[in-house]
Amino acid sequence: MSEAAKMSPLVGIAAVSVTAASLVGVGVMTGFIPTKGDKAPATAPSPMTAAAPAAPVAAAPEPAKPAVAPEPPKQVAAVEAPRPAPAPVAGPAAKTALPEARSGPRLEIPNIPFTDITSTAGIDFIHQNGAEGEKLLPETMGGGGAFFDFDNDGDQDLLCINSSVWPWARTKPAQPPLSALYANDGTGRFTNVTNGSGLDVPMYGNGVACGDVDNDGDVDLFISCLGANHLFLNSGNGKFQDITAQAGVAGEESAWSTSCGFFDVENDGDLDLFVCNYIQWDRETDKGMNFTLDGQLRAYGRPTDFKGAFPVLYLNDGKAGFRDASVDLGIQVRDPNTGAPLSKSLGVTFPDLNADGRPDIMVANDTVQNLLFLSQPTGGFQEVAAGSGVAFDNAGAARGAMGLDFASFRNSPAVGIAIGNFATEMTALYVCQNPGTTMPVFRDEAVSNGIGPVTRTDLKFGVLFVDADLDGRLDLFENNGHLEADISIVQSSQRYEQPPHLLWNCGPEEETEFVMLGEQKTSADFARRMVGRGATMADIDGDGDLDLALFASGARPRLLRNDQQLGHHWLRIRLQGKTVNRDAIGTQVELVLADGTRQFRTVMPTRSYQSQVELPVSFGLGKQTKVQELRITWPGGQQQTLIPEGIDRTVDVVQAEIPNK
C-alpha cells in the first residue's frame, strides 16, 4: 500500500518528477503536507504494515432497537481569468459594508446512530492473519465478507472470510482457522452453520464473490486466496461443494488473489468471473527486504519492491465451467518501459460507464495507476483510465488505492467513483462529466465536495455508497485501519486502529456536498477505532434501513445495526432475471418519485474491498409517500416499467417475457 510509496521512489519517478518542487510548496501552503509534527523515519516507513492479531474486544450488550411504527415489511410481486486592476479611488475611502447574513434555513444534520450488536447477534468470528513477528506482507490485507441469501429464505446471511496461520508457524491452534457462515433468522440474529456446510476448508482466504454461476436458483461462492482459489457450488440444502478443479478457476499456486466478482461479460445469461491479483510474492523475497520503520524495528515491506501481477478474467461456459480469456479480451496491461504487469489490484467493480448495455471494469491499484476497461462493440475491452481521468490524482501521481464503489450520488445519470486510498492520501471521488457518451471523462471532485481534506489522515479500505438515513441521497462510508501497529513511532498523526467514516450527503446545493459525521451523530459504537479492512451492507432485520458489517485484520468484525429513527420511507427491489443472469447483476433501476425526483441504482454486489453487498437494491424516499414508477433496464438493454404497490416494503420483480418477433 502506498505510504511507503509516497515515501518511496516508484510513483514520483513514474509521473511527477517535473512538478515535485512546486507540489511540495502547494502542499505546505494548503496544509496537506505537514511542516512539523511527524518524525522523519530513519528508513522509509512501510507501505504495508500490520501487527500481531489484536485481542478480541467484548462488545457491551446493546439496547433494543426502538419499536417501528409502520407495519412489517411485505413481499409484493410485481485556470481562473486574471482579475482587472482596481480602479483608482478619489478622496477618502468609503466605509466597507459588512456582508449580510446568509438567508434561508440552517442545514440540519440528522442523527444516524448505529449499535454494535456483534456479540448479541451471535457473531463470534475472529480473523486470523498468521502474524507471528516475521512481518510478511499478506498479513496486512485482512479478509472480507459478504451478505447474501444462501438458503433462499428471503433474508441476508453473513459470510466472514478467514486467512490462516502459516505452515511454518511456531505455534498452531488445535483446529485450523476457518471462514464462518452465519444463517440469519430474519431479525438480525445469526447462527453459525459452518460445520458440515462444505465451506469448512482451511485456506489463506482474502476476498469473496457471490453469484449463481449455474443459474439453478442458489447463490454460489468464489473465495480468493493466497495460493489456490476455491469455487463452491451451492447444493440448495445448506451445503456447498468444492468444484474448483473441474471449474478451472484455482489460478496459480503462487498467486495472491484479492478482490473478485461475478458479472456477465457477454450478456449471455451466465456469470463470468474477474479475479484481482496483487503482487508476485514469496516468503524468502519478503524476508530478504529487511525493511524497518526506524532503522531497528522490522516492518512490513513496500509493494513497490515487488512486481505486479495480472488480473484474470474467466468466461463461464454456462455450466459452471470456466476458461481464462484474459489475453483474448485485453485485460492484461504491461508497463511500456519494463514490460512488467501494470497492475497491483486490490479493488474492482463493474459499472456500465459508456452506456452500451455491457459492463465495464474499474480496477483500483496500489502504487500504480488505476485501470478502466471499457467494453468494445467488437467484444473485449480497451484500457482507458488515463484518458478518462481515473488513473491518477490531480497531480498525475498514482496512489495507494484499496477499495472502491460507484453510484449516481447526485440523483442524476452522472456516475461518481469513490476510491479509498492510503494514509496521507485523500479519498478520490471521480465524477463523470459527460454521462451517456462512449468515452466517459472524469474529474476528481473530492476537495470541492468536502471529502478530500477530512479523509486524508486515515488509511481507507472498504468504501461504500449507502443511504444511511433513507433521505434519498447516497452517503459515503469508509472502513479504516493502518497496516503497522508501531506506525505512531515514526508518524505521530497515525494510529494502527482508526475510526470508520460516515460522510453525510447534504445535497449539491450546499457549500460542500458531504459532511463528516462525528460520534455525537453516529454513536460511540460506530466511532470506535478498529483495524478496519473490508465492509459490506444489507438490511439484516427487515426494517428498510441498511446495516453494516465491518471486517478487520487479526480481530473480530463488527456488526453495526442502523438505528436511525427519522420516519423516512423506503422501497427495496429484488430482481430475478430470465434471459439475463438469474441474479440480475448489472441491471439498472431508476425510481421516479411523485415530485419528479429520480434515483438510480445498479444491481452490483461487487463493491468495497474484498467484499460483497446484498443483491436487493434500496431506495430511501425521505418523507415522500408515493413512487410514480420504476424503470428497469436489464443487461443488454431490455426495459421494463412498473408502478409499485405501496412503500416501506420489498418488491419482487421478475424479468418480463420478450415477445417473439
Side-chain angles (χ1 to χ4, degrees):
M1 280 148 245
S2 78
E3 181 172 356
K6 274 45 84 203
M7 305 178 185
S8 70
L10 180 64
V11 174
I13 293 174
V16 294
S17 59
V18 177
T19 60
S22 62
L23 289 173
V24 170
V26 172
V28 172
M29 288 187 289
T30 59
F32 292 156
I33 298 178
T35 57
K36 60 181 179 179
D38 289 350
K39 300 177 183 178
T43 306
S46 166
M48 300 206 42
T49 42
V57 179
E62 76 282 355
K65 187 167 185 176
V68 181
E71 65 180 24
K74 301 177 182 178
Q75 309 295 321
V76 219
V79 196
E80 184 180 354
R83 299 180 181 178
V89 179
K95 185 177 180 180
T96 303
L98 297 176
E100 296 182 2
R102 178 182 293 182
S103 60
R106 291 177 59 86
L107 182 66
E108 294 186 11
I109 300 176
N111 293 317
I112 314 175
F114 288 81
T115 302
D116 189 337
I117 62 169
T118 311
S119 295
T120 56
I123 306 300
D124 55 0
F125 174 81
I126 300 176
H127 180 260
Q128 171 63 261
N129 59 23
E132 262 194 337
E134 285 194 331
K135 297 282 185 147
L136 301 176
L137 214 49
E139 299 165 2
T140 67
M141 304 304 286
F147 279 121
F148 74 119
D149 186 4
F150 85 93
D151 51 6
N152 282 332
D153 63 352
D155 53 46
Q156 300 301 310
D157 310 302
L158 178 64
L159 178 67
C160 303
I161 300 300
N162 214 344
S163 300
S164 186
V165 296
W166 296 113
W168 52 83
R170 296 185 299 272
T171 59
K172 295 182 179 180
Q175 298 295 325
L178 300 173
S179 298
L181 177 64
Y182 295 91
N184 188 352
D185 69 357
T187 69
R189 303 284 176 168
F190 294 83
T191 301
N192 193 326
V193 294
T194 309
N195 291 338
S197 68
L199 300 177
D200 45 355
V201 179
M203 66 187 80
Y204 201 103
N206 291 311
V208 59
C210 309
D212 187 357
V213 300
D214 54 358
N215 281 322
D216 68 345
D218 302 306
V219 182
D220 312 300
L221 295 173
F222 176 86
I223 299 178
S224 62
C225 300
L226 178 67
N229 302 315
H230 293 265
L231 178 62
F232 295 94
L233 204 65
N234 192 333
S235 303
N237 56 358
K239 307 295 184 182
F240 291 82
Q241 178 186 1
D242 192 333
I243 64 165
T244 308
Q246 53 264 50
V249 293
E252 300 293 332
E253 285 284 348
S254 60
W256 177 353
S257 301
T258 57
S259 290
C260 48
F262 290 112
F263 70 133
D264 190 352
V265 173
E266 307 161 304
N267 284 339
D268 59 357
D270 52 49
L271 291 175
D272 310 298
L273 173 64
F274 189 94
V275 182
C276 292
N277 288 317
Y278 186 43
I279 58 173
Q280 301 176 40
W281 179 88
D282 62 81
R283 180 191 182 195
E284 291 71 25
T285 301
D286 197 337
K287 293 180 65 177
M289 302 282 182
N290 199 28
F291 197 79
T292 70
L293 280 176
D294 58 357
Q296 297 180 350
L297 296 173
R298 175 169 169 82
Y300 292 103
R302 303 172 298 186
T304 54
D305 293 333
F306 295 85
K307 294 181 179 179
F310 291 126
V312 181
L313 176 54
Y314 297 100
L315 292 184
N316 190 342
D317 64 4
K319 302 177 181 179
F322 295 80
R323 72 175 180 89
D324 185 345
S326 308
V327 175
D328 297 343
L329 298 182
I331 62 109
Q332 291 189 351
V333 181
R334 296 184 181 273
D335 187 309
N337 299 315
T338 66
L342 189 62
S343 187
K344 298 179 180 180
S345 306
L346 292 177
V348 67
T349 190
F350 312 109
D352 179 9
L353 298 177
N354 57 359
D356 65 351
R358 296 189 297 273
D360 308 306
I361 307 171
M362 182 70 213
V363 178
N365 280 326
D366 184 13
T367 72
V368 297
Q369 69 175 70
N370 300 319
L371 299 174
L372 173 57
F373 299 96
L374 289 185
S375 61
Q376 299 298 298
T378 57
F381 297 87
Q382 179 183 3
E383 205 294 302
V384 298
S388 292
V390 297
F392 306 103
D393 66 13
N394 288 334
R399 290 185 279 204
M402 313 297 174
L404 77 169
D405 198 4
F406 75 94
S408 298
F409 68 95
R410 288 176 177 158
N411 291 338
S412 76
V415 170
I417 300 173
I419 300 180
N421 293 308
F422 203 80
T424 73
E425 297 176 334
M426 297 180 289
T427 295
L429 182 61
Y430 300 106
V431 181
C432 187
Q433 307 298 300
N434 56 342
T437 61
T438 58
M439 182 61 183
V441 176
F442 291 81
R443 180 175 63 202
D444 190 348
E445 300 182 4
V447 173
S448 61
N449 285 334
I451 291 175
V454 297
T455 62
R456 187 178 70 89
T457 300
D458 294 330
L459 202 168
K460 291 73 64 180
F461 277 90
V463 175
L464 290 169
F465 283 105
V466 52
D467 187 356
D469 58 343
L470 299 177
D471 68 346
R473 298 188 297 265
L474 289 168
D475 314 303
L476 184 64
F477 170 81
E478 300 176 331
N479 195 19
N480 309 315
H482 212 282
L483 310 171
E484 178 64 67
D486 298 319
I487 188 62
S488 61
I489 295 175
V490 296
Q491 289 189 293
S492 61
S493 63
Q494 293 296 315
R495 296 292 184 272
Y496 185 40
E497 295 181 329
Q498 299 179 347
H501 297 159
L502 182 59
L503 295 106
W504 180 62
N505 186 340
C506 48
E509 68 278 1
E510 301 297 332
E511 186 176 355
T512 63
E513 286 186 72
F514 292 89
V515 173
M516 181 82 80
L517 301 189
E519 179 179 326
Q520 70 279 11
K521 293 293 185 180
T522 59
S523 78
D525 280 3
F526 179 91
R528 182 161 56 85
R529 295 172 179 264
M530 64 182 297
V531 188
R533 295 296 184 262
T536 182
M537 62 185 179
D539 179 9
I540 64 172
D541 48 9
D543 64 353
D545 55 30
L546 290 169
D547 313 292
L548 298 168
L550 316 185
F551 304 102
S553 176
R556 297 183 65 184
R558 290 165 60 191
L559 184 60
L560 296 175
R561 188 184 64 202
N562 189 335
D563 283 343
Q564 64 83 26
Q565 292 290 308
L566 299 169
H568 291 165
H569 299 292
W570 52 274
L571 189 69
R572 287 167 56 80
I573 311 298
R574 186 166 50 205
L575 298 107
Q576 179 182 328
K578 289 295 190 180
T579 62
V580 305
N581 67 88
R582 194 180 187 282
D583 293 332
I585 292 173
T587 301
Q588 300 182 42
V589 184
E590 179 184 353
L591 177 144
V592 184
L593 291 169
D595 66 352
T597 300
R598 302 157 68 197
Q599 297 183 38
F600 303 83
R601 302 287 187 271
T602 301
V603 180
M604 184 51 61
T606 304
R607 305 171 182 267
S608 185
Y609 168 80
Q610 299 191 151
S611 302
Q612 302 270 287
V613 305
E614 63 173 357
L615 277 171
V617 295
S618 293
F619 294 92
L621 308 182
K623 299 297 184 180
Q624 301 213 39
T625 58
K626 182 175 177 58
V627 175
Q628 183 171 309
E629 67 177 3
L630 285 173
R631 302 168 182 170
I632 301 169
T633 303
W634 301 90
Q638 180 193 353
Q639 295 185 338
Q640 188 172 346
T641 301
L642 64 141
I643 301 174
E645 298 179 6
I647 57 174
D648 298 334
R649 62 192 65 203
T650 298
V651 177
D652 286 310
V653 180
V654 179
Q655 183 185 8
E657 297 285 343
I658 302 176
N660 294 326
K661 295 183 179 180

